[in-house]
Amino acid sequence: VVPFAAGGPTDVVARMIAIPMGKALGQTVLVENTVGAGGTIAATRVARAAPNGYTLFIHHMGMATAPALYKKLAFDPLKDFEYIGQVVDVPMTLLARKDFPAANFAELQTYLKANGSKVSLANAGLGAVSHLCGLLFMSHIGVELNTIPYKGTGPAMNDLLGGQVDLLCDQTTQTVPLIKDGRVKVYGVTSLSRLSALPDVPTLNEQGLKGFEVKVWHGMYASKGTPAPVLEKINAALRAAMQDPMVKQRLAELSSDIPPMDKISPAGLKTHLEAEITKWAPVIKKAGIYAD
């Protein structure tokens, strides 16, 4: 079960690994899109499904932000699921329209502190990863910008390219070609290490925002109570899929990272989810934003 529309980044990841997982399991893995309410409808469906290993759930970091974003949540990410493992990490980039005045990140910080709310920061809507990235960025630099929500990163990027907005955080799967073509200005990547696809672009962490990291990580879950032998079999299939040559090549082309093997595990996913809930809850609460 994928909580977003077909063709989106999470759906692409799910369909990419479904075929090699099916080979490892000896049966077809079907991808179903159950959209709505920021992924919470799909999550609730899987939480209530029979715990037999036949209904799985793949979700991004929204699994960690939902407890803070929603006042009423029909599931608990830490209590209502079994964990299978992390799937893929997609870093982000901090971009500006190509004619934005600041030439580098140091100049950007100076400009933002001087102009504050005059600078527009686009995002893909309330609770979207681009929105959360922007919140974390403003928290780190101590400046409130004029945030502009859109109905997705597509229209937000179109307005950035057209010069209607100033800044945007977006996934490398969308931005690397634009950066290489010089159609946008890039100030840094949100991973803790530089990207092979953008080796000359420094991280925000190395430019002074210590510990700044935003990755659109994905995890795979099953219903609570799914037997341990079943989870082990599914985890083995997931690990096999992540080592599939075609999957590795495709993810590299998308500037996406395969997590270390210790994270493609139930314990690795659970630990990461707990850390991400702790990380994002104060950021969201400070902003006073809710999705319901």
Side-chain angles (χ1 to χ4, degrees), residues 141-161:
I141 65 173
V143 177
E144 289 293 324
L145 306 177
N146 179 25
T147 57
I148 310 293
Y150 286 80
K151 293 181 179 179
T153 50
M157 179 60 75
N158 286 337
D159 273 10
L160 186 77
L161 293 171

Side-chain angles (χ1 to χ4, degrees), residues 266-280:
L269 176 56
K270 184 175 186 291
T271 298
H272 189 69
L273 177 63
E274 291 172 337
E276 286 285 286
I277 289 174
T278 300
K279 171 183 176 177
W280 287 108

Side-chain angles (χ1 to χ4, degrees), residues 89-96 153 157 160-161 168-191 193-202 250-257:
D89 297 331
V90 184
M92 304 188 80
T93 47
L94 178 63
L95 308 174
T153 50
M157 179 60 75
L160 186 77
L161 293 171
L168 172 67
C169 281
D170 198 6
Q171 299 180 45
T172 55
T173 49
Q174 315 291 335
T175 65
V176 168
L178 298 173
I179 293 169
K180 290 184 174 181
D181 289 345
R183 299 179 63 191
V184 293
K185 187 175 289 186
V186 60
Y187 292 114
V189 297
T190 66
S191 52
S193 57
R194 295 196 185 194
L195 307 179
S196 58
L198 300 169
D200 297 327
V201 179
R250 181 61 178 145
L251 289 175
E253 291 171 353
L254 295 173
S255 301
S256 303
D257 300 322

